[in-house]
């Protein structure tokens, strides 16, 4: 009776306020959930539930293995995850002063993230410094310069080092960050080469005199290789492609063990520019080996060469009637192999997604590697007649061969699940990161969207038809509370009236 009396006292304005407030709150939750999902790739409510509520409710902590076998399995899984998400130096990275900074001057946008630049600073300290830098006054100044976060402070320190003596690493820093044109950068790198070769020859003679001299020679070797590679890239950018190819070949012969710089990827791009496909095939035969790490450049260049043999005469209609020839089947399989390795590349090659400047570091099989590859190789695919058409017709067939990429792969290891997080750190905020496999919207976003829409509709109907909606609301609430009223009546009939009176007073 009391519930019925309370419901009768409610006015239509109360129902309008109730449904309107519910719609507003659920709408705000929906907006926040959508923003959080777009930024971090997960639902905030789900994340809080898994991270905080499950342990409180007695959920099993996955980080505490029950047996030693489980512990070993998780350790292997963690090691595989770390190796899969290792960030690599981009072999074709642009010049910070002559290219990245010019983009900033024109657009007002920063093409490099703090995380990417921090990785570059760590690389510079690893390659260009050693424990014996205090023996050379200029190198001691440069050791501090590489640790500076302010670009102007680094440039000032480089000029300070050059006042002491001709320092190769000081010239490198100025060529990378202060030079505003490629020609100016090349001039500085030539000065760096002259200074670097002198240091290299001196340290080469002393490298066996102790660990200190050995470390110094290793540092001087890294400096010399870096300078020669960047000089070759300057020649490539200035149109002297044959000269660049010769410099890269000589560098690879002189230092065959320094594969960390991936100079063969620079060589492949230059050979494709010359349309020297026989030499491209020879380089691929050496580096597209099962024992060597793969890259988008290796896989997609191999696919381009296979596609080049058939793409000019390829027709989807004719292929569907007569079937694929052996050469066409080889080309399609090569495309499927490349797409399985990095599924983000085709959308950039087919210009379904806009390109940005590539970062200084890339994640293999990730969106950052796809951008770096397509930025330099899109022109080579366009030059081969019909290659993009063949790619357009066949690349999506790869996903039919991989039922569920997160659980098993076909030609490569299963696609790592950590690429999205790393790519968001490497790529600027204004770029929409490509995600594979495409994530479905979390349940809580769909639930909140439905709740918001339902309550908004109720608020609108209550505002337009207050009397009718009041009747429906009272009938719904009466039905909802009917079991409770029935139980209360039974309790009143069973318990003595005096006892029931005392309980109600409590």
């Amino acid at each position: 009776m009391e519930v019925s009396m309370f419901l009768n006292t409610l006015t239509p304005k109360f129902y309008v306020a109730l449904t309107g407030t519910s719609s507003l709150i659920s709408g705000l939750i929906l907006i926040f959930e959508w923003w959080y999902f777009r930024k971090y790739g997960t639902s905030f409510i789900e994340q809080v539930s898994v991270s905080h509520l499950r342990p409180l409710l007695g959920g099993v902590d996955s980080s505490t293995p029950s047996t030693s076998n489980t512990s070993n399995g998780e350790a292997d899984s963690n090691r595989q995850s770390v190796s899969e998400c290792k960030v690599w130096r981009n072999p074709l990275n642009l010049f910070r002063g002559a290219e990245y900074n010019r983009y900033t001057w024109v657009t007002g946008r920063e093409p490099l993230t703090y995380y990417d630049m921090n990785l570059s600073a760590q690389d510079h300290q690893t390659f260009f410094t050693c424990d014996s830098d205090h023996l050379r006054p200029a190198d001691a100044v440069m050791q501090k310069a590489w640790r500076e976060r302010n670009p102007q402070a680094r440039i000032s320190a480089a000029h300070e080092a050059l006042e002491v003596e001709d320092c190769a690493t000081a010239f490198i820093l100025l060529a990378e960050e202060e030079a505003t044109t490629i020609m100016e950068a090349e001039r500085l790198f030539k000065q760096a080469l002259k200074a670097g070769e002198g240091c290299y020859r001196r340290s080469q003679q002393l490298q066996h005199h102790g660990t200190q001299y050995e470390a110094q020679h290793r540092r001087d070797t890294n400096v010399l290789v870096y300078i020669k590679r960047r000089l070759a890239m300057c020649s490539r950018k200035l149109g002297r492609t044959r000269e660049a190819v010769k410099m890269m070949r000589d560098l690879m012969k002189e230092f065959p063990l320094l594969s960390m710089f991936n100079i063969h990827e620079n060589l492949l791009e230059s050979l494709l520019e010359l349309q020297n496909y026989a030499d491209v095939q020879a380089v691929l035969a050496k580096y597209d080996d099962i024992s060597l790490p793969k890259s988008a450049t290796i896989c997609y260049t191999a696919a381009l060469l296979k596609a080049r043999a058939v793409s000019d005469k390829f027709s989807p209609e004719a292929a569907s009637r007569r079937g694929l020839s052996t050469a066409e089947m080889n080309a399609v399989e090569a495309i499927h192999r490349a797409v399985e390795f990095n599924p983000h590349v085709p959308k950039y090659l087919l210009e379904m997604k806009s390109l940005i400047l590539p970062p200084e570091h890339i994640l293999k099989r990730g969106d950052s590697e796809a951008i770096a590859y397509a930025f330099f190789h899109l022109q080579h695919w366009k030059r081969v007649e019909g290659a993009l058409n063949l790619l357009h017709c066949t690349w999506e067939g790869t996903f039919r061969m991989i039922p569920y990429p997160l659980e098993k792969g076909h030609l490569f290891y299963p696609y790592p699940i950590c690429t999205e997080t790393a790519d968001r750190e490497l790529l600027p905020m204004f770029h929409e990161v490509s995600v594979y496999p495409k994530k479905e919207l979390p349940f809580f976003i769909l639930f909140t969207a439905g709740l918001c829409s339902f309550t908004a509709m109720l608020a609108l109907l209550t505002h337009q038809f207050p009397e009718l909606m009041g009747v429906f609301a009272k009938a719904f609430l009466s039905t909802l509370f009917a079991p409770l009223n029935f139980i209360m009546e039974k309790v009143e009939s069973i318990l003595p009236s005096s006892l029931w009176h005392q309980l109600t007073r409590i």
Side-chain angles (χ1 to χ4, degrees), residues 173-421:
L173 192 148
L174 295 178
E176 291 285 354
E177 300 195 21
E178 188 180 44
T180 57
T181 64
I182 300 298
M183 294 182 67
E184 186 180 352
E186 185 182 37
R187 177 182 61 79
L188 288 167
F189 273 120
K190 287 180 178 178
Q191 294 178 268
L193 179 63
K194 184 178 179 181
E197 285 179 333
C199 292
Y200 175 76
R201 284 192 295 268
R202 288 192 295 271
S203 64
Q204 190 176 29
Q205 296 172 357
L206 301 172
Q207 62 175 316
H208 302 297
H209 290 192
T211 56
Q212 180 175 321
Y213 293 102
E214 185 181 352
Q216 196 172 42
H217 177 65
R218 186 163 52 249
R219 189 274 307 274
D220 291 339
T221 302
N222 291 336
V223 169
L224 187 62
V225 171
Y226 185 90
I227 293 170
K228 289 187 174 183
R229 174 173 162 269
R230 293 303 259 176
L231 276 172
M233 293 178 68
C234 287
S235 298
R236 167 69 183 90
K237 292 174 184 293
L238 293 172
R240 305 194 303 269
T241 311
R242 295 187 184 280
E243 178 185 338
V245 168
K246 183 179 183 304
M247 295 171 69
M248 292 173 193
R249 288 188 186 278
D250 292 343
L251 185 57
M252 293 169 68
K253 289 178 182 177
E254 187 178 359
F255 302 98
L257 300 178
L258 289 180
S259 59
M260 69 185 83
F261 290 102
N262 291 325
I263 304 171
H264 61 276
E265 297 198 9
N266 298 84
L267 179 61
L268 282 172
E269 197 278 327
S270 298
L271 290 172
L272 286 171
E273 177 64 21
L274 294 174
Q275 301 184 47
N276 195 341
Y277 297 110
D279 285 354
V280 172
Q281 185 62 60
V283 175
L284 285 178
K286 182 178 180 180
Y287 289 97
D288 192 6
D289 186 81
I290 191 171
S291 61
L292 297 176
K294 296 293 181 289
S295 67
T297 300
I298 294 291
C299 295
Y300 278 90
T301 302
L304 176 61
L305 293 189
K306 295 283 181 66
R308 176 175 170 268
V310 298
S311 59
D312 57 336
K313 299 178 182 178
F314 178 77
S315 170
E317 294 79 10
S320 62
R321 288 197 304 270
R322 57 174 171 76
L324 294 174
S325 64
T326 303
E328 290 173 338
M329 183 64 71
N330 290 337
V332 172
E333 288 177 354
I335 290 175
H336 286 174
R337 171 179 178 260
V339 174
E340 182 184 348
F341 181 82
N342 193 317
H344 309 283
V345 173
K347 287 190 176 182
Y348 293 108
L349 292 179
L350 298 172
E351 299 181 272
M352 300 165 62
K353 194 171 172 59
S354 59
L355 275 172
I356 60 172
L357 293 186
E360 293 183 337
H361 290 80
I362 59 173
L363 181 70
K364 287 193 175 183
R365 306 187 76 178
D367 191 30
S368 51
E369 185 192 33
I371 292 170
Y373 173 79
F375 186 86
F376 293 98
H377 288 262
L378 175 58
Q379 57 181 330
H380 307 317
W381 279 81
K382 287 184 174 181
R383 191 176 292 124
V384 176
E385 183 182 356
L388 290 175
N389 178 50
L390 179 60
L391 178 68
H392 175 72
C393 296
T394 57
W395 75 278
E396 290 182 331
T398 309
F399 307 118
R400 290 192 290 271
M401 301 165 60
I402 312 172
Y404 194 62
L406 293 180
E407 292 185 352
K408 62 179 181 177
H410 181 60
L411 298 174
F412 298 100
Y413 288 109
Y415 190 80
I417 60 175
C418 58
T419 55
E420 181 187 355
T421 304

Side-chain angles (χ1 to χ4, degrees), residues 20-38 42-46 48-49 441-453 455:
T21 305
S22 303
S23 177
L24 176 63
I25 294 173
S26 57
L28 293 175
I29 296 174
L30 173 63
I31 293 172
F32 175 77
E33 275 282 293
W34 176 253
W35 169 82
Y36 195 88
F37 175 73
R38 291 296 299 270
T42 185
S43 166
F44 175 77
I45 299 177
E46 288 181 3
V48 170
S49 302
L441 286 177
F443 165 77
F444 283 104
I445 289 184
L446 299 176
F447 174 77
T448 311
L451 180 63
C452 177
S453 302
T455 53

